[in-house]
Amino acid sequence: MVLANNEKGRLMARWMKMRESNIAVGIYLICAAVVIAFSVSNAHVLMRAGGIADEVRAVDERDLVRNEVTRQIEILARDQSQISHWDEAVRALASRIDWEFVREEMADWLWDDFGIQTTIVVGPDDVPRVMVFEDDILAVEEAQRHVDLGFDLIAAAREVYMAKRLPRGGRFTILAHPVRSPAPIYVSDFRLIDGDVNMIVAQAIVPDDEETLPDGLPNVLLTLKPLTQPMMEAAGEKLGLGNFTVTPGDRVPDGAASMRVGRAGDADALYASWTPSRPSAVIWEQALPVLAGVVALAILALGAVALLYGRALHRMQKSEARNRFLAHHDALTGLPNRLYFDRLLEDILSRGEQDSCAVLCIDLDRFKAVNDTYGHSAGDAVLRTVASRILAAVKGRGIAARVGGDEFIVLLHEGLGRDAVRLLCDGIVESICAEIEIEGGHASVGASIGVAWWPEDARTAKSVIRSADEALYRAKEDGRGRAYLADDEGAGGPDLESRGPEQRDPERRDPDERIAARVAPQTPR
C-alpha cells in the first residue's frame, strides 16, 4: 500500500510538473500573441480612425438625406394645404361638389403651380368624390385604386383631425395651422405607383377662418406627387451625393448607402440610396508611413515586457494554487480538511442532491503510543498510510477527510444499506489494523468507527456528524476496534457533554493500552 501511495504521489508530482510547464508555454504564447496584437493594433487604430471618419460622414449624409426627404414632404403638404386649409374648399366640397371650384382652383392651380399630379377628395364614407389627374378632371371610379393604396393614410388623417378638433358654436374647427404648427394634422408617405415613386399626403379639409365643420368624419384631400429623375438629380447635386435616388429595397445598388423612407411595411418599403463618400482613403495615405516605424519599436519593447510578465505570472499562479489547495486540504495526508467536508455536507443536504447518505467518524486507537515511542515523523507516516487505506476502502462510494490529529471522517453517497456499510466499516478497521512499516520497524494501530445516517438518525449536517461521533465513542467504550451504528443497542446512553474526561477519551481512561505500538526488526528480503 505504501508503494502504491508513493507511486500515486509520483504520478501527481509528474502531473503538476506538466501542468506548470503547460502554464509556462501558455504564458509565452500569450506574450507572443500580445506582441502580434500590439503590432496589429496600430494598423487597427489607423483603420478605426478611417472608419470613424467614414461613419461621421455617413451620419452627416443620412442627416442630409433625412432633412431633404422631410423638406420635400413638407413642401407637398404646404402646397396641398392651399386647398385643404381653406374656407372656400370646405364650402365647395361639402355635401354638393362645386365643380367650377374643382376646375379653377384644383385642376388648373395644383398641377400648374406645384406639380401635384393626382388630387383626390375622399368622403366620410371612404368613397372618392373628386379625381383630378394633372389638369384633367376624371371619373371618380379612376380614383379607387389610389384610395385603396393610401387608405391607411386617409384613416390616420381622420384620426388626427378627430383628436385635434375644437368645438365652436355646436360645430368644430382646427385653430392651429395644419402644416406649420408643432403638431401638424397631415399624414405622409412614399409609395410606388405604376413603377414610379410618389410622395403622398393625406389631410382633412378644414377651415382657415370663419367656416366650421359638422360633427363626424371630414372630407380628406389625398395628393400624390411623383419623384422624377430630374428632381432626384437636383437633390443629389444640392446634397453633394452621387447617384441619389429613391427606389424599392431590392433595387438598391450593391455598395450604396441607403436609408428607409416612409411608413410602408417591409414588403413595400422604399429606400433613398446614394454613393457614400470615403474619407478613410486620405487618412491611410498620410498616416501609414509614420505608424510603420512606431510599430517596429513597439514590438521590441512589448516583447521584452511580456517575457518578464510571463515569468512573474508563472510564480504567482504556483503560489496561489498551493494556497487554494491548503485552504481545503490537510497538508500531511492530502485529504480534504474539516472546513471542506463541512461545507460539502451542508451543500449536499441543502440542495437535496441525495435522498440519503451516511457519515462515518473514524478514530485511531493507540496512535498516541506511536508518537510517544517513535516520534512525530513516525506518527506522520502512520497517518499518511491510514489515509491511503481509508481512501482505498471507500473508493468511489464517497469522500474521506482528516478532521483532527488522528480523526478521520467519511461521507458515503453509494452503497448505503446497513449490511453494506457494516461490511465497509469492518474492512476499514481490518485494513487500518494491519501493520504499518516505519523507519526501523513497524507499528500497529487500531480504529473505531461510529456511523449515522441522514435523514434517518439526524436532520442536519451538524447533528448527523454529532450522532456518528456519539456512536464512535460508544464503540470505543465497548472495546474499540469495531464499528457502532447510531441506532445500535446501547447507543442511547448519556450525551458526550455529560461524560467525564475518561468517558469522552478512552485513551485517558486506560493508559495501559497505550503500549500498543511495537518494534520488530525488518526481515531481509
Side-chain angles (χ1 to χ4, degrees):
M1 183 64 70
V2 174
L3 293 176
N5 194 49
N6 291 339
E7 180 63 22
K8 183 178 179 181
R10 284 194 295 270
L11 291 174
M12 180 63 70
R14 186 182 305 169
W15 179 84
M16 289 295 294
K17 187 174 181 180
M18 290 176 60
R19 182 173 178 270
E20 293 171 2
S21 176
N22 290 338
I23 292 175
V25 172
I27 290 297
Y28 295 134
L29 290 176
I30 291 173
C31 292
V34 170
V35 171
I36 296 172
F38 182 78
S39 304
V40 174
S41 66
N42 288 275
H44 174 72
V45 168
L46 187 58
M47 293 175 61
R48 186 60 183 148
I52 291 174
D54 290 345
E55 290 172 4
V56 170
R57 177 57 184 168
V59 171
D60 290 343
E61 290 176 348
R62 291 175 67 86
D63 289 341
L64 289 172
V65 172
R66 186 181 297 107
N67 292 337
E68 181 63 19
V69 168
T70 302
R71 191 180 74 87
Q72 291 295 336
I73 288 289
E74 287 180 350
I75 290 173
L76 175 57
R78 182 196 63 200
D79 292 343
Q80 71 99 47
S81 71
Q82 304 295 325
I83 298 296
S84 61
H85 184 219
W86 191 14
D87 283 359
E88 290 293 332
V90 171
R91 287 189 289 268
L93 303 173
S95 58
R96 295 181 60 183
I97 301 296
D98 183 347
W99 292 103
E100 183 178 353
F101 174 88
V102 173
R103 183 177 299 105
E104 293 179 359
E105 303 297 346
M106 297 174 63
D108 294 340
W109 186 20
L110 293 181
W111 169 248
D112 291 339
D113 289 3
F114 306 124
I116 297 176
Q117 188 177 60
T118 304
T119 304
I120 302 170
V121 177
V122 182
D125 56 358
D126 301 332
V127 175
R129 305 180 64 205
V130 175
M131 167 68 172
V132 176
F133 183 77
E134 296 183 354
D135 56 0
D136 293 329
I137 300 174
L138 304 181
V140 293
E141 290 79 10
E142 299 285 340
Q144 189 60 53
R145 68 189 186 95
H146 295 84
V147 172
D148 293 341
L149 180 67
F151 186 77
D152 59 323
L153 303 180
I154 295 171
R158 287 171 177 164
E159 290 180 4
V160 174
Y161 163 77
M162 296 298 288
K164 296 185 179 299
R165 67 179 185 170
L166 297 173
R168 178 193 285 179
R171 292 164 68 87
F172 295 90
T173 188
I174 294 289
L175 296 181
H177 192 279
V179 177
R180 294 195 296 269
S181 67
I185 65 170
Y186 71 88
V187 182
S188 63
D189 198 5
F190 288 81
R191 298 288 165 90
L192 195 65
I193 302 175
D194 297 331
D196 297 325
V197 177
N198 279 254
M199 295 183 292
I200 180 170
V201 171
Q203 181 195 306
I205 299 174
V206 297
D208 66 335
D209 193 7
E210 298 179 355
E211 192 64 49
T212 56
L213 296 174
D215 192 13
L217 297 177
N219 288 319
V220 174
L221 186 66
L222 188 68
T223 53
L224 297 90
K225 183 177 181 179
L227 281 177
T228 63
Q229 188 62 34
M231 288 177 59
M232 289 187 282
E233 289 177 356
E237 184 177 353
K238 173 186 174 183
L239 301 175
L241 302 176
N243 301 317
F244 179 78
T245 187
V246 177
T247 182
D250 58 357
R251 300 181 191 173
V252 174
D254 293 338
S258 63
M259 183 183 73
R260 181 170 172 168
V261 295
R263 301 154 49 100
D266 292 339
D268 301 318
L270 297 175
Y271 290 81
S273 68
W274 64 95
T275 301
S277 302
R278 302 292 184 190
S280 57
V282 178
I283 296 176
W284 271 97
E285 183 179 350
Q286 295 182 357
L288 185 59
V290 176
L291 288 179
V294 175
V295 167
L297 294 175
I299 289 175
L300 296 176
L302 187 58
V305 171
L307 181 62
L308 296 176
Y309 177 77
R311 292 175 178 174
L313 182 61
H314 173 66
R315 292 192 295 268
M316 182 178 66
Q317 285 182 331
K318 288 182 63 177
S319 175
E320 289 180 351
R322 179 62 178 169
N323 291 338
R324 283 195 300 270
F325 180 82
L326 292 179
H328 297 94
H329 290 77
D330 173 46
L332 176 63
T333 64
L335 294 178
N337 58 18
R338 178 180 291 277
L339 175 63
Y340 180 90
F341 184 89
D342 289 347
R343 287 181 178 175
L344 178 63
L345 182 58
E346 288 280 1
D347 289 344
I348 291 175
L349 300 190
S350 63
R351 291 198 298 263
E353 294 180 356
Q354 293 282 135
D355 294 332
S356 178
C357 61
V359 173
L360 284 62
C361 287
I362 304 171
D363 190 75
L364 300 186
D365 301 328
R366 304 181 300 274
F367 174 72
K368 187 173 183 299
V370 175
N371 270 339
D372 292 345
T373 305
Y374 301 108
H376 290 290
S377 60
D380 291 347
V382 169
L383 289 174
R384 284 192 291 267
T385 301
V386 168
S388 66
R389 292 177 178 179
I390 293 175
L391 281 176
V394 173
K395 295 181 180 177
R397 295 173 59 183
I399 68 161
R402 182 188 177 203
V403 295
D406 59 351
E407 298 174 3
F408 299 84
I409 193 166
V410 173
L411 172 62
L412 290 181
H413 52 72
E414 292 183 11
L416 300 178
R418 296 192 178 280
D419 292 341
V421 173
R422 272 190 196 279
L423 187 62
L424 173 65
C425 292
D426 292 343
I428 293 175
V429 171
E430 183 179 355
S431 66
I432 292 176
C433 289
E435 289 186 344
I436 299 172
E437 295 181 359
I438 60 175
E439 185 177 356
H442 53 265
S444 293
V445 294
S448 300
I449 303 176
V451 185
W453 276 264
W454 175 88
E456 291 88 341
D457 298 321
R459 304 292 297 180
T460 66
K462 290 183 179 179
S463 59
V464 74
I465 293 175
R466 184 163 55 248
S467 295
D469 203 40
E470 290 184 359
L472 165 67
Y473 279 98
R474 287 177 174 80
K476 296 177 77 71
E477 289 175 347
D478 203 24
R480 304 183 185 180
R482 66 192 63 203
Y484 219 92
L485 309 186
D487 58 356
D488 279 346
E489 251 183 71
D495 293 339
L496 293 177
E497 290 79 359
S498 64
R499 300 174 185 169
E502 291 81 12
Q503 289 176 302
R504 290 196 300 269
D505 187 356
E507 300 258 6
R508 294 178 55 184
R509 186 186 61 180
D510 192 1
D512 292 338
E513 290 185 5
R514 289 183 296 177
I515 314 300
R518 57 193 178 85
V519 179
Q522 294 186 352
T523 303
R525 291 179 173 82

